[in-house]
Amino acid sequence: MAQIEIKNFNLYYGSFQGLKNVNMTIKEKRITSMIGPSGCGKSTLLRSINRMNDMIEGVKTEGEINIAGNNIYDQNIDIDVLRRNVGMVFQRPNPFPISVYNNVSFGLEVNRIERKRNVIDEIVQKSLESVLLWDDIKDKLKKSALLLTLEQQQRLCIARVIAVRPQIILLDEPCSSLDPHATQRIEELMMRLKEDYTIVIVTHNMQQAARVSQDTAFMLLGELIEFDKTSKIFTNPGDKKTDDYVSGRFG
Amino acid sequence: MIKLNPKLSQKFAVAFLFCATIVAIIPVVIIIFIIIKNGYSAISLEFLTAMPTNGMRSGGIFPAIVGTLSIVFCAILITLPIGVCAAIYLNEYAKDTLLTRLIKLAIVNLAGIPSVVYGLFGLGIFVMFLGFGVSIIAGALTLSIMELPVIITTARGALNSVPPAFREASLALGVSRWQTIRHIVLPNALPGILTGAILSIARISGETAPILFTAAAFYLPHIPRSPFDQVMALPYHLYIISTQIPNMPKNIIFATALVLLMMVLSMSLIAIIARIYFRKRRKW
Ligand SMILES: Nc1ncnc2c1ncn2[C@@H]1O[C@H](COP(=O)(O)OP(=O)(O)OP(=O)(O)O)[C@@H](O)[C@H]1O
Ligand SMILES: [Mg+2]
């Protein structure tokens, strides 16, 4: 069970309220997209799910986010364990400036999740296979990850997340620095991955949300305006503001 | 008021700025030229490796070279780890409170304290209070306290230059803060930290005031056996032979200055080369 249940969630950057009483339940093994105009709090909400906002000084939260029934804002939650379970892929591909192999094995080795070399080798191969990168780069495992193309780098970043065996993968505009062709292939990859993972994607691109996701959340000024089946959001939204946004009347 | 046409005034401005640059470097060039011209005749392998003789009027400057090197390397061994740890704490852990702001401000301003003040502090604390006597260790501790703010500042710069995206990626993998620092931040900051350290070595090699009362000996024609020994040191030796010894041969004075200058310049050169090398290899 890896559904994400967000309950009465508020987030403040100092005195500025970034999220206002968000309530939603993200179902497992589906792709949920978050759309909305720039600055509406999509990234903020996404980063609340793996507590990456904790790093920002002056951030305060209220309410709950439950993953598999446990409130991740509980006192006794181990944040490192949480983040292994809830992986994150960023807007700009950010592989470490080390070899391809070490990028994928990094989480395993540094966290001492796995020590046996042959097991690590196997996980590295499986992770690269599941992002369809293995065949292209199996001879370049020792090469610096920064020599790969941007698309390959983004795939590598996904593989790096998969290697620590998460249940949930959060992606924050993962295609915004890629060309249309690479974007399409990453989208295909996401659709494959939803068989095994719960995926939440933030995107600026409404066509992308319509293409890849089963559910869509529309946000505005820190509020969740509407959350429903993607088909409903794009064809017959329940809220006037959603309608205006998806039909391109503002935003 | 004469109105020059814009093209002409542009030319004048450039010419004026160029002259200012020349004025800035001419003295340095002249100093180096004079030192080389007057000193090179006394430079020889023997000068670098022999003990001074005849009341320092002949022989070599070996003990002064060894003395300076040992003080400076002890100093950097002390100051580098402490400085890097402090920089890590300030950059990666410390919350932005009034206290940390004060500490950061103090560190920046500590660099402006005259070095003779550090010398007196070292005399009071290390030589007398802690009883190390006038020794390598007392001099090294004094120099390391003086250099600590500089090391902290350059190390913080190096840590800051590591892209935040690397940290984020690591933390998002469930890697703890400390492991992220150890495996991602430090390796990528290391080139910057090391070049900063080499420049610090160059800077403190020429310092006289901090070691004047804490480490330097007037005349001690043997090499040190322990960190608690007093030593000769190049800058102080240079001061002595230039002012305290009658009938001192001019070329020995200039040769000593030349050795000190070369030590400092070659260290800076190494730092510059290292920086270029690391910058080329860095891919981000
Ligand atoms: N570290 C921060 N400190 C203060 N305010 C912040 C911080 N990060 C984000 N905000 C504010 O919170 C609001 C939501 O930001 P967020 O990045 O979540 O928006 P977004 O929907 O992801 O926008 P975009 O589409 O541009 O990425 C914005 O008004 C932003 O200015
Ligand atoms: Mg965003």
Side-chain angles (χ1 to χ4, degrees):
Chain A
M1 266 269 290
Q3 68 172 22
I4 307 161
E5 195 187 7
I6 302 172
K7 273 205 246 168
N8 304 327
F9 194 76
N10 292 291
L11 183 142
Y12 304 84
Y13 291 112
S15 57
F16 173 77
Q17 185 165 7
L19 292 175
K20 296 173 188 160
N21 197 36
V22 175
N23 282 283
M24 67 193 287
T25 299
I26 296 170
K27 296 196 203 79
E28 65 176 333
K29 305 218 170 147
R30 286 161 86 88
I31 301 182
T32 301
S33 59
M34 295 185 184
I35 58 170
S38 193
C40 68
K42 305 180 295 291
S43 299
T44 304
L45 182 56
L46 195 73
R47 294 163 62 91
S48 299
I49 302 175
N50 65 346
R51 295 191 58 172
M52 284 301 277
N53 290 324
D54 286 23
M55 293 158 51
I56 301 168
E57 220 153 297
V59 166
K60 272 202 292 290
T61 61
E62 293 163 3
E64 294 179 7
I65 295 182
N66 295 301
I67 293 178
N70 297 315
N71 179 10
I72 61 167
Y73 283 87
D74 249 5
Q75 291 270 307
N76 49 20
I77 282 286
D78 182 337
I79 296 186
D80 295 334
V81 173
L82 165 72
R83 289 184 184 149
R84 266 169 246 158
N85 189 36
V86 186
M88 182 162 228
V89 176
F90 297 84
Q91 189 164 349
R92 279 202 61 78
N94 56 356
F96 301 125
I98 51 181
S99 73
V100 171
Y101 181 98
N102 287 337
N103 262 280
V104 184
S105 68
F106 184 79
L108 294 173
E109 297 195 55
V110 171
N111 288 323
R112 310 241 168 78
I113 296 172
E114 202 41 79
R115 287 158 187 278
K116 292 195 216 69
R117 181 50 54 189
N118 57 337
V119 181
I120 295 179
D121 284 347
E122 203 173 296
I123 296 175
V124 168
Q125 175 169 354
K126 281 221 181 92
S127 307
L128 287 171
E129 277 169 355
S130 65
V131 298
L132 308 178
L133 203 53
W134 176 254
D135 290 331
D136 291 345
I137 60 170
K138 60 172 179 260
D139 306 318
K140 301 183 199 160
L141 294 178
K142 296 260 179 311
K143 293 253 163 65
S144 166
L146 301 179
L147 298 173
L148 303 180
T149 66
L150 274 183
E151 183 201 341
Q152 287 176 326
Q153 290 188 10
Q154 197 61 304
R155 282 175 190 270
L156 179 65
C157 291
I158 299 173
R160 178 172 71 180
V161 166
I162 288 175
V164 293
R165 299 192 196 106
Q167 291 180 292
I168 298 165
I169 301 177
L170 311 173
L171 303 105
D172 194 347
E173 304 189 33
C175 302
S176 64
S177 50
L178 304 181
D179 62 54
H181 205 66
T183 299
Q184 192 199 335
R185 284 194 301 248
I186 296 279
E187 286 177 8
E188 284 163 12
L189 172 62
M190 284 191 283
M191 289 191 266
R192 260 173 53 105
L193 291 175
K194 85 162 199 287
E195 308 298 324
D196 301 310
Y197 305 93
T198 304
I199 292 179
V200 188
I201 174 175
V202 164
T203 176
H204 253 113
N205 178 334
M206 280 189 272
Q207 286 80 33
Q208 182 169 61
R211 279 192 303 263
V212 301
S213 66
Q214 285 77 56
D215 298 320
T216 295
F218 171 63
M219 295 182 69
L220 195 60
L221 297 171
E223 282 181 88
L224 177 65
I225 302 295
E226 192 170 351
F227 176 48
D228 213 320
K229 296 246 171 355
T230 299
S231 52
K232 177 136 195 317
I233 294 280
F234 283 99
T235 55
N236 182 23
D239 195 291
K240 173 87 172 46
K241 284 174 264 180
T242 317
D243 195 19
D244 286 348
Y245 185 72
V246 297
S247 57
R249 275 192 284 276
F250 79 90
Chain B
M1 220 14 227
I2 325 156
K3 282 247 166 85
L4 292 172
N5 84 42
K7 280 247 168 62
L8 204 60
S9 75
Q10 152 89 356
K11 271 194 183 139
F12 271 121
V14 172
F16 184 76
L17 298 174
F18 178 72
C19 287
T21 314
I22 294 297
V23 168
I25 61 169
I26 278 180
V28 182
V29 173
I30 292 178
I31 290 169
I32 294 178
F33 175 76
I34 292 177
I35 290 177
I36 293 177
K37 180 173 170 286
N38 291 306
Y40 85 99
S41 63
I43 297 274
S44 65
L45 191 62
E46 199 213 335
F47 182 69
L48 298 175
T49 57
M51 298 293 162
T53 50
N54 190 19
M56 297 188 265
R57 287 183 194 84
S58 60
I61 54 168
F62 186 60
I65 295 177
V66 172
T68 287
L69 288 179
S70 41
I71 297 172
V72 164
F73 282 103
C74 284
I76 208 75
L77 280 184
I78 298 166
T79 194
L80 191 58
I82 300 177
V84 171
C85 290
I88 291 175
Y89 177 75
L90 288 174
N91 260 35
E92 313 282 332
Y93 286 103
K95 293 235 165 63
D96 190 24
T97 62
L98 188 65
L99 182 67
T100 35
R101 270 190 228 174
L102 275 176
I103 292 177
K104 288 176 185 176
L105 195 71
I107 286 170
V108 172
N109 288 295
L110 234 49
I113 294 181
S115 55
V116 67
V117 175
Y118 285 103
L120 288 171
F121 172 82
L123 174 68
I125 298 292
F126 303 124
V127 177
M128 284 150 60
F129 181 73
L130 292 176
F132 293 153
V134 176
S135 60
I136 294 176
I137 190 73
L141 283 165
T142 309
L143 280 178
S144 37
I145 286 181
M146 188 188 81
E147 202 55 16
L148 207 46
V150 179
I151 290 277
I152 293 176
T153 307
T154 53
R156 287 189 59 200
L159 294 171
N160 277 335
S161 73
V162 178
F166 292 170
R167 277 173 231 211
E168 274 200 323
S170 173
L171 293 168
L173 285 172
V175 174
S176 69
R177 238 168 202 233
W178 167 241
Q179 298 285 14
T180 297
I181 292 168
R182 210 169 82 82
H183 293 279
I184 297 293
V185 180
L186 271 185
N188 286 296
L190 207 56
I193 293 173
L194 287 184
T195 40
I198 301 173
L199 283 179
S200 280
I201 294 177
R203 226 176 67 94
I204 59 179
S205 304
E207 281 292 342
T208 317
I211 56 168
L212 189 58
F213 325 116
T214 55
F218 185 87
Y219 178 62
L220 206 68
H222 60 77
I223 55 174
R225 268 174 232 96
S226 95
F228 294 95
D229 279 0
Q230 205 174 346
V231 283
M232 292 177 78
L234 272 178
Y236 184 53
H237 180 66
L238 183 60
Y239 162 74
I240 290 168
I241 58 177
S242 323
T243 59
Q244 312 289 309
I245 313 281
N247 304 324
M248 190 68 207
K250 268 266 162 357
N251 63 344
I252 289 194
I253 298 176
F254 280 101
T256 307
L258 185 58
V259 171
L260 183 56
L261 191 70
M262 284 303 140
M263 236 164 93
V264 173
L265 288 185
S266 57
M267 221 78 86
S268 304
L269 195 66
I270 291 172
I272 290 167
I273 292 170
R275 188 164 293 171
I276 293 171
Y277 171 77
F278 287 128
R279 200 158 284 167
K280 272 218 184 109
R281 268 192 17 160
R282 182 162 76 189
K283 307 120 204 146
W284 34 273

